[in-house]
Amino acid sequence: AARNSLSGTIPPLFFNISSLQYFGFSSNRLHGRLPPDAGRHLPNLEVLRLGGIGNNFSGTLPAYLSNATKLQELGLAHNSFEGRVPPEIGKLCPDSVEMESNMLQAENDADWEFLRYFTNCTRLEVLDVSDNVLGGVLPHFVANLSGPVKSLIMAKNRMSGVIPLGIGNLVHLEDLEFAGNHLHGVIPEDIGRLQNLKFFTLEANLLSGGIPPSFGNLTELLTLILSNNELNGSIPENLGSLHRLTSMTLSFNRLTGAIPGVIFSLSSLTDSLLLSHNYLSGVLPPQIGSLKHATTLDLSRNNLSGEVPGALGDCASLVYLSLDDNYFTGSIPPSIGNLKGLSMLNFTRNGLSGSIPQELSKIHGLQKLYLAHNNLSGAIPQLLQNSSALVELDLSYNHLEGEVPSHGGIR
């Protein structure tokens, strides 16, 4: 009965069919509370699916669900379940537990007891409790999960404390997400042991210290997001070993030093390289031209200097390019005109001089061009008059001459 347009509540008699093995009403328009004894008469139940976009079940989770001892899949995501997770549910041993996007709560160690019980489950592969209101201290025993856990997703909660030592023992992990909590302390070095990891997100916490060099061992990694923390030190050179990485986000930290050239040599970056809002310094190396497949490059709000490298013109897939709020000098390289798919270009608040290159006219889809607060001179190119795509243009605080284009959001 999944993925239909069923509405109303589930008749209580369904919870009394003792022979039931599959109970699936996900992605409908159902609501209501589960009976207090739900699970008491379902000893053969293997799959319970009430999640998915559309349903809106509410109330607390019945402790009697623990009677469904054959349960392999517990799917309760995207509802409005609230209260603490009964410890008894942790005595189940399913392959998959998906309880994300509810209003489940935890405030102290006792409220996390369900997770302690799950550490005894030797077949658990997926545990997703993200996007709830689970608070208190992140239990250290999360590192003791004994099953072949591939996905551990606890993002968007209210957990404090530190990432426990021993998390590197969960060697089957492919997806580890602690983003959007109140975690502090350093990132454990032993995370570098998770050599099957593909998705790793820790953004929007209070983490400090450096990025562990052991991250260079995560050679299967596709996505690395460490933004919005208090990380310091330099970007480890050996992140250049992550040859499958498609997206790296280290913005809004306190990182210093030069950006290692090997980072720009990661031709696997097909999505984004986001390093903005740090204290990174030095010049951009020619290797930056190796980012031929990245769509977004944001190095804004750092202490970068030197000239904007002409090799940027080799980054043929760029859609968004932000180098604003740095100390770049010299002229805008004409090769930027080779970026045919560029939609937004931001060089605001640098020390750029010379004229605006005519080659920018080759970027027919350019919608937003920000060149304010530089030392640019000469005439405003006619190309900016003729562009039908341009909707925002800021050339203020320069030494430009000529007629200001009369369309779009012009300043």
Side-chain angles (χ1 to χ4, degrees), residues 137-216:
V137 175
L138 172 62
H140 64 89
F141 46 77
V142 71
N144 298 335
L145 289 166
S146 54
V149 181
K150 294 180 179 178
S151 295
L152 177 58
I153 307 175
M154 306 181 76
K156 297 182 181 179
N157 279 291
R158 299 179 182 178
M159 300 180 300
S160 58
V162 301
I163 300 173
L165 292 174
I167 199 78
N169 295 329
L170 306 180
V171 294
H172 299 280
L173 272 178
E174 297 179 6
D175 188 353
L176 177 59
E177 302 183 29
F178 285 140
N181 282 288
H182 306 296
L183 301 174
H184 64 271
V186 301
I187 302 174
E189 185 81 26
D190 71 344
I191 285 179
R193 295 177 55 202
L194 303 177
Q195 295 187 19
N196 293 303
L197 205 58
K198 292 180 171 63
F199 301 96
F200 184 31
T201 66
L202 294 178
E203 80 266 23
N205 279 288
L206 303 169
L207 299 167
S208 57
I211 299 172
S214 63
F215 279 19

Side-chain angles (χ1 to χ4, degrees), residues 63 65-71 74 85-94 97 113-123:
L65 285 176
S66 62
N67 279 28
T69 54
K70 294 182 181 179
L71 201 66
L74 178 60
V85 179
E88 293 86 351
I89 286 181
K91 295 179 182 179
L92 296 168
C93 190
V97 176
E113 200 63 19
F114 76 95
L115 185 59
R116 185 189 298 275
Y117 284 122
F118 273 137
T119 63
N120 298 319
C121 177
T122 56
R123 70 184 189 200

Side-chain angles (χ1 to χ4, degrees), residues 270-282:
T270 55
D271 186 1
S272 55
L273 177 59
L274 309 180
L275 305 179
S276 71
H277 295 79
N278 281 289
Y279 300 96
L280 299 167
S281 58

Side-chain angles (χ1 to χ4, degrees), residues 6 142 148 160 165-166 192 213 230 261 278 303 341 365 377 388-389 397:
L6 300 176
V142 71
S160 58
L165 292 174
E230 299 173 7
N278 281 289
N303 297 323
S377 58
S388 59
Y397 298 96

Side-chain angles (χ1 to χ4, degrees), residues 206-229:
L206 303 169
L207 299 167
S208 57
I211 299 172
S214 63
F215 279 19
N217 299 328
L218 305 177
T219 53
E220 295 296 310
L221 204 60
L222 301 175
T223 300
L224 173 63
I225 307 179
L226 305 178
S227 53
N228 293 85
N229 280 288

